[in-house]
Amino acid sequence: MRRPFGTGNMASARRNNIRGFPRVLSRSSCICENYVLQVIRLDMVLVNRLICRRSRKEMTLMRLTTHSYFPSAERKTLFAGMALLAACTVVPQCLAEVELAHIFSDHMVLQRDLPIHLWGMAEPGEQIHAQLQDASAEAVADDLGRWSVYLPSRKAGGPFEVVVRGRNEVRLQDVMIGDVWVASGQSNMEFGMKTVANSEVELRKASQYDIRIVNVGHAYSEFPLSNLKEGVSWAKADENNLLNFSAVAYLFARKIEDSQHVPVGIIESSWGGTPAEAWTSLRTLTASPELTPALAAWAKILEGRTEEELRFTQTQKNPAAGQKPAPAPRDLNAWHPAYLFNAMIAPLTPFPIKGALWYQGEANTSEWNYAYYAPLFRAMIEDWRAQWKLGDLPFLFVQIANVKASSPANKWAEIREAQMQTLTFKNTGMAVTADIGEAANVHPRNKQDVADRLSRVARKVAYGEDIEFSGPIYRSSIVTGDQVRIWFEHGEGLMLKDANASFFEVAGADKVFHPAKASIENGTLILRSPDVPHPLQARYAWLDNPTCTLYNAAGLPASPFRTR
C-alpha cells in the first residue's frame, strides 16, 4: 500500500515545496517565509543548509544568497533570524522515510511508450531503488532530499506493482500502463457525472470499463509547487467515485478505451468560474507585451477589491443604525494570474502524459477580459508544452457552447473565434459545441456529444487515425458581384439544414450586417442578401446563442466564424 506523502519526518516541510527550493514552513519563522513568498524571480545560490527536526515533523530552513532580490542588509537580517531559530531548536535525531510525490498511488495509470518517471523525497544522501517488474533504476537523494528515477518505457498492460526502496519500502499495487490525459478548465470540465443527462444509465456502464481517475482538488499558490496537496489518490472509476468526477473527461476516456483498447487514466485539474490567466505561469504572462492587458485587468480587479475591503472595514468599525454591514470582500485567489497553474498544473508536469483536454472560456467572455484571450490561449498552450517537455503535446479543447448570455456586453462569439484561431498550432484540435448547448443553462447536461466529438479529435490528432474529426472550419473567402463565396477545411459533404436561417449575414462598406440566403455550390458556401448589393464581409452564427445549420458529411457542425 502507498504510504501517504506527509507522514514521514520531512513531509510537512516538503509537501508544498516551491519548485526548485524548499519553502520555510516553521510557524515560528513567519518572517523568513514572508520574505520568500514575495519573491517572483529568484537568482539564488544555496550557501548553507540548516535542518531542525521536531517530533517527526522536519522543518527545513535555507540560507539563500539572493543577490538580485534581497538588499544586503535584509539578507543579513534574514540569515541572522534563521541562525537564531536553528540555535534555539531542539534537534532529536530521526531519519526521513522514502516518499513518493502525491500523484503516485495504488490504481494509477502510467503513460505507455514513454520513460516512466518516479520522484519524491528521502533523507539527503539516501540510496533509492525503484523497480517495475524486471526493470529497475537507482538514484541518490540530493542535499535537499529530492530524488528522481526513470524506468524504461513499456507497452500498455497491467496490473503491475511498483516498488521503491530506501531505508523503508513503498509498494504501489494495481498499477496500469496505458494513456494518461490531464483534463482541465472551469465548470463545464468540472461538471460531474451525477448531473449529466441520463446519469443513472451512464454510471451503470462504469463496470464495463477499467478506467482510472484522480482529482487533484482545488488549490492555489503564489509560486509553482513541486507537489500536489495531500489526499490525492487514484481510484478505479465506479458508480460512487464518478459522481463528482468530470463527465466530459470520463466519457472521453470511455471512447478512447473503446477505440484504442488500452488502459486510460484521467487526471482532473479543474476549478469552476476561473479564467485562463489563472492557469498560465507568471513567467509566460510577463514575457509577452500582448499579455500586458491581462495583468492590467487584474490590477483593476485588485483596485475594486481594495474598495470592498475598505467598505467592509468601515461598516465593521462604525455600523450605521439599521443598516446592513457591507459584505465581506470576495476571495479572488482562484482568479489570480498563475495561482492555479502554480498549485494544480506545475506539480503534474514531471508526470508523462498522452495529452491535455481543456474546456474553458466562459470566464473570459466579459467585456474587460475577452480582447486578449487569443494570445493568452496560445501562450498557455505553449507554456504547458514547455513545462511538460514532451514536444508538441496533443492539446484538445472544447469550443464554448451556445447560451443566452447574461449581458449584451458578453463576447461569446469572439471567444469562439479566438479558440478556432488556435488550430494553427500543431497537434491541437477543437470540438465545436455551439449546436448542443442550452440557451438558459451555461452548464448543458449533454456531455456525451461533447466527449464523443473530443474523442474524434483525439483519435486523429493523438492516435493518427484516418477519420473525419472536425466540422467545417473557415479557410478563405472571395467577393464576386453581389455574393460572397466561402471555402472550408473539413468541408467534404458540406450541407445546410436550413438555407433561410438568419444566422448567415453579410455587410457592406457601412459594416451593418443583414440576413443572407445561403446555398452550397461545388463544396463552397454562397451568401447573398438583397439588402447588401456590394458585400464586403460575411459571418455565421455570430451570436451568444445561435442556431447552427451548417454541417459536413460526418454530421459535425461548422464553427461560428466571420470573414476579414
Side-chain angles (χ1 to χ4, degrees), residues 126 145 159 164 242 290 324 338 350 388 439 493:
E126 187 170 353
V164 177
L242 277 172
E290 284 188 296
K324 292 183 178 180
W388 254 285

Side-chain angles (χ1 to χ4, degrees), residues 376-397:
L376 172 62
F377 191 32
R378 293 194 297 270
M380 193 198 82
I381 294 172
E382 290 182 319
D383 187 16
W384 285 25
R385 286 176 167 174
Q387 298 288 341
W388 254 285
K389 298 181 176 66
L390 292 173
D392 294 320
L393 182 75
F395 192 100
L396 317 180
F397 55 93

Side-chain angles (χ1 to χ4, degrees), residues 39 92 104 274 285 296 357 475 489 508 548 551:
V39 179
F104 299 105
T274 54
L285 290 171
L357 308 176
R475 183 174 68 189
E489 303 287 350
C548 296
Y551 290 76

Side-chain angles (χ1 to χ4, degrees), residues 31-42:
I31 295 177
C32 301
E33 183 171 12
N34 286 337
Y35 268 104
V36 176
L37 290 178
Q38 294 178 53
V39 179
I40 298 300
R41 206 172 162 188
L42 290 174

Side-chain angles (χ1 to χ4, degrees), residues 107-111 157-160 174-178 210 212 263:
H107 314 300
M108 66 180 175
V109 178
L110 298 173
Q111 181 58 44
F160 302 116
D174 189 35
V175 174
M176 306 298 289
I177 309 293
D210 189 17
R212 311 301 176 86

Side-chain angles (χ1 to χ4, degrees), residues 330-353:
R330 297 166 293 167
D331 184 352
L332 299 176
N333 284 305
W335 274 62
H336 196 295
Y339 271 26
L340 302 190
F341 170 87
N342 291 341
M344 298 175 65
I345 297 298
L348 297 173
T349 56
F351 194 92
I353 60 174

